[in-house]
Amino acid sequence: VEKALTEAMRRQVLLFVSVSSLFSVFGQISYSVPEEMLKGSLVGNIVKDLGLDLKRLKTGKARLHIGNSAEYIELNKDKGVLLIKERIDRETLCKQTTPCALHFQIILENPIEFYRVTVEITDINDNAPTFKMDSMLFEISESAVKGAKFVLEKALDSDVGINGLRSYSLNPTDNFVLKLNDNAGGEKEVEMVLEKPLDREKQEHLTLTLTAFDGGEPQLSGTVQIHVTVLDVNDNAPVFTQSTYRASLMENTPKGTSLMTVTATDIDEGAHGLLTYSISSNSEGILDLFEIHETSGEVRLIGKIDYETSKHYQLHVKARDQGGLTDSCKILFDIIDVNDNAPIIDLMSTTQSIPEDSTMQTVVAVMNVHDPDSEDNGVVKCFLSESAPFIIENTSNGFYSILTNANLDRERSSEYNITVTCSDEGVPSLSSSVTLTLQISDVNDNPPVFERSSYEAYIVENNTPGLSIFTVRARDADWDQNARVSYILEDSSVNGVPVSSYVSVSADSGVIHAVRSFDYEQIKDFQFHVKAQDGGSPPLSSNVTVKILIQDQNDNPPQVLYPVQSGGSVVAEMVPRSADVGYLVTKVVAVDVDSGQNAWLSYKLQKATDRALFEVGLQNGEIRTIRQVTDKDAVKQRLTVIVEDNGQPSRSATVIVNVAVADSFPEVLSEFTDFPHDKEYNDNLTFYLVLALAVVSFLFITCLVVIISVKIYRWRQSRILYHSNLPVIPYYPPRYSDTLGTGTLQHVYNYEVCRTTDSRKSDCKFGRAGSENVLIMDPSSTGTINNLISVYKLSSRS
């Protein structure tokens, strides 16, 4: 055996290389090596044979894809050679199948490439022929005639081809000779033919040696002993009704099924006509699958039939009578395939993640799909179960690639679960599925987008520096660092001043702060640009226009433009005594630098020497007469006009208008030059007002004391009446009125105030009680006691 192994290893290695297109490079290479080579033995140099670069094996992470087979071959990436990893026994690997070959692939990555490698395992003569039986026993009647045939057990040789079984020899050949016949299946049938009649009386037992030889070099052989017992006369051998039986058998036939019955007849009578049936163990494993009933010849299935293991089974059945005569027949079972195997999906290479800007037709996975069934049951088609942007292509026999079929967008879908389903064309169809998870990595392909195309914000003037005005926000559809948005204030100027001196922008939050306090009267609005920039490389950005509108605040009082107030001289407007009602004396002109309702002005007459003579237009500030001027009217009229805006709170300004009621200028001059007299007039008026206030206060305290006294008196009277059981008759003092049972003041008093343009001529008096409940101050105004006190206070101030 060792010599044969050495000779076989010296044979030349067969090399076949073919290159075709699959992804970037696809190659196929074949080697032929003998079995039983030592570990580490060279199979072939793939770098040289495939024209690869040794560095490519390392950078491409070269590896062998064996599938479900045992690993007999290994790849040495440092030398670029294939080596024997485990000793290979061809008989264990392939049994009698020829040729015997190992199929695997060499996978390279970045980019994905693979090469198909076939290593044919050639047979060496390492197995001698063997017999299953230790010895063969024959009982042969002495009446057996010349030419009687006895079927011998065939030898088995695990080797194939020239190393397989070749010839037999029988020794000694005194009574029997060996004859080899070819049967319908092309196999050799070994028969022992009686050449010389037996004589039990001379020799009851014979021992022969059957030797089987193979065709290898050196030639190997195996022997078995044949023991022949010569029986007394039994001159008729069993005969089968058919020499060959044939039947079809489904591979999923259950155990215990009766397959057929073979029949043999023996015309002898008695014990010599009783037959027994048996199956010759001429093939390995047959006795584990089939059995035959000893007496009936019924053949039953006792094992599991698999079409993928063997497509045909051949049984040799022997019928033997009690005299030792036998006959044999052959049973051929053709196995019918059943679709009992789903397609097998073998993922050879997959990609876990690809960027979203990957080009179309990018390979994301390579797989091998095969179905052990035959014909339509083994025809496989693969498809993708989901409508994802991927397609599957059959690149070669049984090999599929999954490729991108559209542009990817991580913002629409960041992950795909790609389900590949492969089904055969059997009835019913069987299928297998596998799901791949593919992550789409982000690329900075989306700029930040503001929530609005432009922004407007309002801020009230006189704000505190650092006040937050509002917030701009931008969204970035990308992920992680590519979606991190920063806000930047674009350089610009407002009225020649950098915009950064007006506002600032928070880089992280987009909050816009006021840098200074704004004045609406100086600047009413301004605009600038804010840029949103992401953190990608290179960064993407977008701009938005922001307009800030300053809202007015009522922070400016009205300013009187006319009449002009001067400290050293007195300006007076002349009104002739002949002026009619509605005569335009003058017009107060005022402005307010605020805007809106803060600048709406109204004019009111605050004080006047004679309120019954003049009025001020509420909206236009025109001072007109409201009655005919008479000779009794004082020449000197002093009007105090208050100008108020409409803000909240409102602001005001006052202006004093001097009016001269005269027909000539000298008369006016004498009146307006007597300023010390005016001071004396003011002092007298103040004195009278204080005196009046003191009198009113005294009266109030007196009334309060009276009310309390009356209350106590009435309470005591009610207590007396209560105890005396007399009717209560209320008593009211004269000139008192009980208001809700609590008042003790006189019913009504009238107060009359008479005022002139000259304070020296004014008068204030108390009148008698009347029926009215108001105080008449003058024909043009009315007021209560509280209003009267207010008037006194105002008069005292003036």
Side-chain angles (χ1 to χ4, degrees), residues 107-159:
I107 306 296
L108 297 177
E109 297 179 357
N110 299 321
I112 296 176
E113 300 174 349
F114 78 96
Y115 302 86
R116 299 175 63 180
V117 180
T118 301
V119 178
E120 182 181 0
I121 310 302
T122 59
D123 185 51
I124 64 173
N125 192 23
D126 59 339
N127 292 282
T130 59
F131 291 90
K132 289 291 184 181
M133 302 175 63
D134 296 332
S135 62
M136 300 182 193
L137 302 178
F138 288 92
E139 294 179 347
I140 303 174
S141 174
E142 63 178 350
S143 62
V145 297
K146 182 180 179 180
K149 299 177 181 178
F150 302 93
V151 179
L152 302 179
E153 186 74 20
K154 293 190 300 183
L156 298 176
D157 194 336
S158 299
D159 295 328

Side-chain angles (χ1 to χ4, degrees), residues 267-281:
I267 61 175
D268 289 335
E269 293 182 354
H272 296 298
L274 297 176
L275 303 179
T276 58
Y277 300 89
S278 62
I279 297 176
S280 300
S281 179

